[in-house]
Amino acid sequence: MGYRCRIPQVKPLLNQKQRQKRLTWATEKQHWTVAQWSKVLFSDESKFCMSFGNQGARVWRKTGEREMPKCLKSSVKYPQSVMVWGAMSAAVNASSYQETWEHFMLPSAEKLYGDEDFIFQHDLAPAHSAKTTGKWFTDHGITVLNWPANSPDLNPIENLWDIVKRKLRDARPNTLDELKAAIEASWASITPQQCHRLIASMPRRIEAVISAKGFPTKY
């Protein structure tokens, strides 16, 4: 009948207020051009763990074989991991987040944009929305893009994290040092063309949110 067994996609749970804010935000940005989106410096943090196995793995088994070793998948309660912002690892809180920007974002932004203005994007994580963080951006004259909550589908950097993590599955790092080196190597292998394509997808992402009336999209 055309049905297939598949692991459901995981999307953020959005309440009615959040959906409305997403829809309003997308409507406001509906006529932004790719050139305007190119002025936005997108950011995000991502957690990388030592195990990169397929979380949706399946096994073929017979009745009574459920607990057999060949039918089990091992898990680690607290796997070694590293939190990464861009190309650096950090334990993210308001203070360290601002320090990260002081030493890494400002030099990167200057290299990317020179003396031109740019808009900085980050999500609504507590470290990002702290009053001291807002003051830091104001003191440094940085324009911050307003951002709807629970909207990873609107942030193209999420796709870059996926690319990096797919590459790490092949690298199979065994130590934290190997993991960090593999992350840096994978990130460095991302081409400018890939970044340009993702930025160019922003108008389509906006239209998708509007069509979905604020609900999660395919992105």
Side-chain angles (χ1 to χ4, degrees), residues 8-161:
Q9 291 192 67
V10 178
K11 296 285 187 178
L13 179 64
L14 296 168
N15 58 38
Q16 184 176 356
K17 184 177 180 180
Q18 290 170 333
R19 294 197 302 270
Q20 184 58 51
K21 285 188 175 182
R22 279 166 52 87
L23 181 58
T24 300
W25 185 90
T27 302
E28 291 172 352
K29 304 294 187 293
Q30 187 174 14
H31 300 296
W32 275 35
T33 65
V34 173
Q36 286 175 290
W37 286 115
S38 296
K39 292 288 188 181
V40 178
L41 188 59
F42 291 92
S43 74
D44 192 32
E45 296 86 28
S46 188
K47 186 177 182 179
F48 290 79
C49 298
M50 291 298 297
S51 58
F52 296 97
N54 182 352
Q55 300 300 311
R58 296 180 174 88
V59 296
W60 290 96
R61 70 186 184 209
K62 297 178 181 179
T63 302
E65 292 185 342
R66 180 176 179 177
E67 306 301 330
M68 292 183 64
K70 68 177 183 180
C71 298
L72 298 177
K73 179 181 177 181
S74 300
S75 66
V76 179
K77 190 172 183 179
Y78 300 110
Q80 287 186 300
S81 64
V82 59
M83 182 67 76
V84 177
W85 178 89
M88 68 99 53
S89 89
V92 182
N93 54 45
S95 176
S96 64
Y97 185 65
Q98 293 156 34
E99 184 178 347
T100 296
W101 278 105
E102 187 77 44
H103 295 290
F104 294 95
M105 183 277 279
L106 292 180
S108 296
E110 184 176 351
K111 184 180 296 185
L112 289 168
Y113 295 101
D115 294 330
E116 295 182 18
D117 292 334
F118 69 95
I119 301 172
F120 173 63
Q121 178 277 336
H122 60 175
D123 58 27
L124 300 181
H128 306 172
S129 56
K131 289 183 179 179
T132 54
T133 299
K135 184 178 183 301
W136 187 93
F137 282 111
T138 299
D139 291 345
H140 287 77
I142 297 172
T143 301
V144 178
L145 182 68
N146 65 310
W147 195 253
N150 286 349
S151 298
D153 55 341
L154 287 170
N155 193 344
I157 201 173
E158 296 285 353
N159 300 91
L160 294 189
W161 291 131

